[in-house]
Amino acid sequence: MLEDRVLFIDAEAIVIDKPAGLPVDPPRDGTRCVIDMLDDLTFGFQRLPTAVHRLDRDTSGCLLLSRNPKAQKRFHAAFEAGQVTKRYVAILDGAPEEDAGEIDLPLLKVSSAASGWRMRGDPKGKAARTRWRVLERGQGRAMVAFYPETGRTHQLRVHAAEGLGIPITGDPVYGAGGPHLMLHAASIVMPREGKPDISADSPLPERFQEAGFGHG
């Protein structure tokens, strides 16, 4: 139940800890999604909250929702202006040589009848930038923090696979696949004029500990 997964709430905003496997928007397979469950998140308001951004179905963690149209408009503007700080944590199928860096790789959407659509690095694409830092190393792999400075579709997944040359563990599109996509939206901070920041942190899911990372 999503009401048990609230990380932040006030009169304008809610941040929930979205579980992996739950899509935000209605998927083609007809399974339940966040949009279907907004009745759980009214908390006395008549108006349903609205998702401000998106997380991939298999990405867990912080998802921001607005509680009224004026807040939705301001929050969208903050995202567009790059004022929102997001931190993701991922396990990679290898370990970068460096401990930190920045990936500047424009992204373009491509599609084919055989494999459907995907994103790829392309100079003709939209600007996409991500800072990263290694958090832990072990078993020939690394757990990395990603700090996206733009919000392109599949940005972190492509930046890992093409920018670092090491895909995120479990990625079925840009990597070898597996039982779980090891990507988690760990925190979000949005400044607001005249009000406290919207700020939320989501603890690492059990699948990270089960993979041998994050015990410290």
Side-chain angles (χ1 to χ4, degrees):
M1 302 293 284
L2 293 184
E3 65 263 36
D4 298 326
R5 303 183 69 89
V6 172
L7 301 170
F8 175 97
I9 185 169
D10 67 6
E12 288 191 334
I14 300 173
V15 180
I16 62 168
D17 188 4
K18 186 190 83 67
L22 179 67
V24 176
D25 295 312
R28 291 182 179 179
D29 62 13
T31 55
R32 291 200 80 194
C33 63
V34 171
I35 301 302
D36 295 329
M37 305 167 74
L38 295 177
D39 284 336
D40 297 343
L41 299 171
T42 53
F43 298 105
F45 282 28
Q46 291 186 342
R47 192 187 304 273
L48 295 177
T50 303
V52 180
H53 61 120
R54 296 294 184 269
L55 295 176
D56 293 342
R57 179 177 190 148
D58 293 323
T59 301
S60 53
C62 296
L63 179 70
L64 172 64
L65 303 102
S66 63
R67 303 190 76 187
N68 64 69
K70 288 184 178 180
Q72 176 80 356
K73 187 175 181 180
R74 289 202 313 275
F75 296 169
H76 266 301
F79 269 92
E80 289 294 322
Q83 298 170 345
V84 182
T85 301
K86 294 180 288 181
R87 179 173 63 91
Y88 289 75
V89 176
I91 297 175
L92 305 182
D93 272 340
E97 292 184 8
E98 304 294 327
D99 289 330
E102 182 172 334
I103 301 162
D104 188 346
L105 180 67
L107 299 179
L108 184 70
K109 186 175 183 178
V110 295
S111 61
S112 68
S115 56
W117 71 270
R118 60 186 291 162
M119 306 299 290
R120 74 177 185 199
D122 192 305
K124 299 176 184 177
K126 294 182 179 180
R129 296 177 304 279
T130 305
R131 292 180 294 110
W132 61 274
R133 178 171 61 89
V134 172
L135 300 175
E136 292 182 28
R137 297 176 184 268
Q139 311 160 54
R141 297 188 295 167
M143 185 167 76
V144 173
F146 284 118
Y147 304 89
E149 296 180 359
T150 52
R152 307 302 178 201
T153 301
H154 290 185
Q155 175 172 320
L156 301 182
R157 296 166 63 182
V158 180
H159 276 185
E162 295 189 25
L164 290 177
I166 311 170
I168 295 173
T169 299
D171 194 323
V173 177
Y174 307 102
H180 304 292
L181 176 68
M182 303 304 288
L183 179 61
H184 178 68
S187 70
I188 187 169
V189 179
M190 176 184 288
R192 291 183 292 183
E193 187 174 348
K195 295 182 180 181
D197 293 351
I198 297 169
S199 181
D201 295 280
S202 170
L204 275 180
E206 287 184 6
R207 69 184 192 276
F208 279 74
Q209 283 83 33
E210 291 169 355
F213 289 89
H215 292 288

